[in-house]
Amino acid sequence: MTLTEKDSQYLWHPYTQHKTAQAPIAISKGEGALLWDENGKEYIDAIASWWVNPFGHSNRFIADAIYKQLTTLEHVLFGGFTHEPAVKVAEKLIEILPKNQQKIFFSDNGSTAVEVAIKVALQFFFNKNEKRTTIIAFENAFHGDTFAAMAASGISFYTQAFQGMFIDVVRIPVPVKGQEQESFDALRNVIQNHSCAGFIFEPLVQGAAGMVMYEPEALAKLIQICNENNVLTIADEVMTGFGKTGKTFAMDYVTEVPDMMCLSKALTGGTIPMAITTFTQKVFDAFYDDDINKALFHGHTFTANPTGCAAALASIDLLHTDEMQANIERIHKSHLDFQKKIEKHSKVITARTLGVIFAVEIKSDSEESYYGSMRTKLYNFFIDKGVVLRPVGNIVYILPPYIMSDEQLQKVYKTIEEAIEMV
């Protein structure tokens, strides 16, 4: 029995309708930007395996750091205890985060990082004897699959089975070019008519919506409006963090700073699940009290796992090497060249680039659904050609590992061009 056959006997995959989906591909090995399946077929991982492997697969530098930590202290409970790797991660992050971020809270994944931030936003006002129950979010946002994170997400088929069970979330338009004022006005209107605790957003790029991009100046204005009305702001940098936009964080482009930030995915270089939510001193101080009931009663069994912390420390060190920064710039320039070429194609609606993120929207005769026929046709074409890309409807995006070679990038571009001709 093959690995794929055994998989179908036992396993339930994410975002999968098993009755109609094709059998998953069994991957046996990964190195750099490449993956190999159980039959020896080679694939270029052009999306860094859901955006988590910026330094490639089987990275020795991170692996050595993990091994060293495993032989010293693999895990210890974080309730009432601490350890050096967690303190070092905090120190290193405080150095590179926006200057107002002062406190670090560990959790397990991007969704739980968001869950923590939303709970903190709501309890912040509760602790001040002020009831605020509304969270503001963008249309078509995606913040995760746990309940509060799911409530803040705006892609309907992820949430439709749970309508009526969520916290109160009101959505505003994304301030894409030409529609900034509409977004500003909507935010002011929501704040005026609701008891708003926080505004959560994906800074500059909405990932799951199809890499929808907007300008730093527009986001700065939205944060400014929130600050004027004492509404806490939450930057969900789970996807954008750690170099993907060309800077360490997307918020590094923005003149205003958030009250909280959510980090995960590339935090550990794709090796060990870990997430972090960061806070200003002002937010932390609202929980600092003689009253035990004002504490943040939230935690995870693997909170601040030392092995994960060791991976995070190695990952952050790698990101800030001259070589990795040069790689990010190289990929960005390559994307810009491809954008100039592909956006002139008769079948292309638009193409866009930020940092190592590239997206192209392909014309379609009908409105394409998220998991519609065009998406399936494109996905299967890419897999057949040995390239891992997961289109969002009629939008194809690239978010490669930073170590991807020029030759591998050119193969990805060529495959996308062939796919556009094929559909």
Side-chain angles (χ1 to χ4, degrees):
M1 186 180 289
T2 67
L3 197 59
T4 299
E5 289 169 337
K6 290 180 180 179
D7 176 284
S8 67
Q9 185 173 352
Y10 302 115
L11 300 181
W12 193 343
H13 287 261
Y15 310 118
T16 300
Q17 175 46 265
H18 280 269
K19 187 171 184 178
T20 58
Q22 291 182 329
I25 298 164
I27 298 298
S28 59
K29 180 185 176 183
E31 185 175 345
L34 299 176
L35 297 166
W36 288 267
D37 69 19
E38 62 180 341
N39 299 313
K41 182 176 178 177
E42 181 182 282
Y43 303 84
I44 298 175
D45 186 356
I47 59 168
S49 286
W50 268 339
W51 323 333
V52 304
N53 287 89
F55 314 113
H57 298 280
S58 304
N59 184 283
R60 288 296 179 89
F61 184 74
I62 300 176
D64 287 346
I66 291 171
Y67 173 76
K68 184 178 179 181
Q69 186 60 48
L70 281 172
T71 59
T72 305
L73 175 67
E74 78 300 332
H75 182 68
V76 65
L77 72 161
F78 210 56
F81 293 85
T82 192
H83 50 79
E84 187 177 37
V87 173
K88 283 187 172 181
V89 167
E91 288 177 332
K92 190 156 286 192
L93 281 175
I94 293 299
E95 288 178 3
I96 60 176
L97 284 163
K99 296 304 180 186
N100 68 332
Q101 300 299 299
Q102 294 296 314
K103 293 293 181 180
I104 304 292
F105 191 96
F106 287 92
S107 61
D108 294 353
N109 58 64
S111 186
T112 57
V114 168
E115 203 81 9
V116 170
I118 291 175
K119 287 178 70 173
V120 165
L122 295 169
Q123 190 178 339
F124 175 89
F125 291 101
F126 177 86
N127 283 359
K128 294 175 176 293
N129 297 314
E130 184 178 350
K131 188 174 183 181
R132 296 202 189 186
T133 56
T134 299
I135 298 294
I136 308 163
F138 280 140
E139 295 170 355
N140 294 318
F142 182 78
H143 296 290
D145 294 323
T146 52
F147 250 76
M150 184 169 54
S153 301
I155 302 172
S156 62
F157 62 84
Y158 284 117
T159 62
Q160 60 190 9
F162 311 100
Q163 294 302 315
M165 308 177 195
F166 292 140
I167 60 172
D168 183 33
V169 175
V170 179
R171 305 194 184 284
I172 63 171
V174 182
V176 294
K177 198 169 183 64
Q179 298 178 34
E180 294 92 343
Q181 193 60 48
E182 181 184 351
S183 183
F184 304 156
D185 293 343
L187 178 59
R188 290 190 179 98
N189 184 62
V190 171
I191 292 173
Q192 184 177 348
N193 291 287
H194 297 267
S195 57
C196 298
F199 168 44
I200 186 168
F201 52 86
E202 298 159 271
L204 307 191
V205 188
Q206 285 191 300
M211 302 301 165
V212 174
M213 299 180 186
Y214 61 100
E215 296 301 315
E217 295 77 12
L219 181 55
K221 181 65 175 177
L222 292 171
I223 295 173
Q224 187 178 43
I225 293 169
C226 288
N227 290 342
E228 291 167 355
N229 291 276
N230 195 27
V231 174
L232 298 175
T233 51
I234 305 166
D236 180 355
E237 292 245 22
V238 169
M239 187 276 284
T240 53
F242 302 104
K244 298 192 188 76
T245 64
K247 292 182 181 283
T248 302
F249 302 107
M251 289 305 302
D252 291 339
Y253 288 97
V254 185
T255 55
E256 299 290 335
V257 289
D259 296 295
M260 306 175 226
M261 292 177 67
C262 304
L263 311 173
S264 190
K265 289 195 181 292
L267 172 64
T268 63
T271 55
I272 293 175
M274 176 171 277
I276 284 172
T277 311
T278 73
F279 306 95
T280 63
Q281 188 67 40
K282 169 189 168 183
V283 171
F284 176 81
D285 286 347
F287 293 75
Y288 189 78
D289 199 278
D290 291 328
D291 184 354
I292 185 66
N293 294 311
K294 289 188 176 181
L296 176 61
F297 284 101
H298 186 101
H300 299 265
T301 303
F302 285 93
T303 291
N305 171 256
T307 313
C309 289
L313 288 166
S315 182
I316 295 168
D317 283 345
L318 268 179
L319 175 64
H320 291 101
T321 60
D322 291 342
E323 178 184 4
M324 211 57 66
Q325 291 298 307
N327 281 343
I328 292 170
E329 181 61 24
R330 171 180 58 84
I331 293 170
H332 175 63
K333 289 179 177 178
S334 185
H335 282 351
L336 287 174
D337 289 342
F338 183 53
Q339 179 183 343
K340 289 176 184 176
K341 177 183 180 182
I342 203 67
E343 64 188 0
K344 299 173 184 176
H345 197 288
S346 60
K347 290 186 178 180
V348 168
I349 298 172
T350 184
R352 48 190 176 268
T353 301
L354 181 64
V356 302
I357 305 168
F358 170 86
V360 57
E361 189 172 354
I362 304 169
K363 288 181 181 177
S364 174
D365 294 332
S366 58
E367 186 175 339
E368 283 297 321
S369 63
Y370 204 92
Y371 285 102
S373 58
M374 178 181 280
R375 181 264 177 202
T376 301
K377 188 176 182 181
L378 286 166
Y379 175 78
N380 291 338
F381 179 85
F382 295 138
I383 290 297
D384 182 62
K385 295 290 185 178
V387 177
V388 179
L389 291 166
R390 287 177 63 88
V392 178
N394 63 327
I395 298 170
V396 177
Y397 71 86
I398 309 168
L399 208 168
Y402 307 154
I403 46 77
M404 182 175 283
S405 70
D406 290 332
E407 181 182 1
Q408 290 165 340
L409 264 178
Q410 291 304 319
K411 179 179 178 180
V412 174
Y413 296 151
K414 184 174 183 292
T415 304
I416 290 174
E417 289 183 90
E418 292 172 352
I420 291 171
E421 293 295 343
M422 177 269 302
V423 293

